[in-house]
């Protein structure tokens, strides 16, 4: 499980998710976006919200829980 801090021009949000088992898996997903195979990072947080963000438009900080 990881905690994601997403900072965008419209505000800051903090999410805990089990979509990524650890920081390494999240980094692999970011690499897929950087390679151009995907455009968005999508996950479901622990409260059940589905979240989809573009890493090009925000800063995402990831920490292991």
């Amino acid at each position: 499980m990881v905690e994601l801090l997403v900072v965008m021009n419209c505000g800051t949000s903090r999410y805990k998710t089990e979509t990524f088992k650890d920081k390494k898996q999240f980094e692999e997903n970011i690499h897929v976006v950087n390679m151009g195979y995907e455009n968005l990072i999508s996950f479901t947080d622990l409260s059940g919200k589905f979240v989809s963000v573009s890493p090009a438009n925000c800063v995402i900080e990831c920490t292991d829980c």
Side-chain angles (χ1 to χ4, degrees):
M1 179 168 64
V2 297
E3 182 175 33
L4 301 175
L5 175 66
V6 180
V7 180
M8 293 189 280
N9 59 357
C10 60
T12 302
S13 299
R14 191 175 298 267
Y15 304 99
K16 287 189 179 182
T17 181
E18 293 178 337
T19 302
F20 310 107
K21 67 178 181 172
D22 58 13
K23 186 176 174 179
K24 182 178 178 179
Q25 187 181 21
F26 177 77
E27 289 172 351
E28 290 170 356
N29 199 280
I30 288 289
H31 181 70
V32 168
V33 171
N34 286 339
M35 295 298 292
Y37 300 119
E38 297 286 336
N39 294 323
L40 302 170
I41 299 293
S42 300
F43 58 90
T44 303
D45 75 351
L46 292 181
S47 66
K49 288 186 276 184
F50 179 76
V51 181
S52 184
V53 294
S54 170
N57 297 331
C58 62
V59 175
I60 304 173
E61 180 181 302
C62 178
T63 54
D64 286 321
C65 292

